[in-house]
Amino acid sequence: MQTQEMNLALVKVLRNWDPFNQGEDFYDPEIADCMIAMRDIENSKDLARKIKEIYEFSFEEALAYDECLKIAEKLLTIKNNASCSF
C-alpha cells in the first residue's frame, strides 16, 4: 500500500466515525490533527487518548475512551499493514 493510499484509508475510517452525529464532512480539523498524531504514536492506548483529547477539545463534550480505542486500533492496523508492504 502506497503512502497516499494508506492516508486515504485512514481518513476514510475517521470520516466514517461520527462521534457527535454532525455528519462525516464536519470533522476535517480533527481528522488532520489525528493524522499528525499518528506519525508519532504507535500504541493504540496512547493514540486513543490523543484522539479523545482532540475531539473533546473541539466539541467540549466527553467521548467514551472505548470508542476512541476502537478507532485507534483500526487506524494502527491500517498503518501497520501499509508499512509491512513497503
Side-chain angles (χ1 to χ4, degrees), residues 31-74:
I31 290 171
D33 289 345
C34 288
M35 294 296 288
I36 292 168
M38 287 191 53
R39 291 181 191 164
D40 300 323
I41 301 173
E42 298 291 332
N43 177 290
S44 60
K45 291 178 181 178
D46 292 341
L47 183 57
R49 281 190 284 277
K50 185 64 177 178
I51 291 169
K52 182 173 170 49
E53 176 186 306
I54 289 167
Y55 280 80
E56 287 181 346
F57 178 80
S58 292
F59 291 90
E60 298 180 352
E61 286 186 49
L63 266 179
Y65 172 78
D66 291 343
E67 280 186 57
C68 298
L69 183 59
K70 288 177 191 175
I71 292 299
E73 288 170 346
K74 286 181 187 179

Side-chain angles (χ1 to χ4, degrees), residues 1-11 35 82 86:
M1 180 182 288
Q2 300 285 335
T3 302
Q4 184 177 9
E5 292 171 336
M6 177 191 69
N7 287 338
L8 290 172
L10 294 169
V11 168
M35 294 296 288
F86 287 132

Side-chain angles (χ1 to χ4, degrees), residues 1 79-86:
M1 180 182 288
K79 180 180 174 184
N80 291 334
N81 287 341
S83 65
C84 290
S85 64
F86 287 132

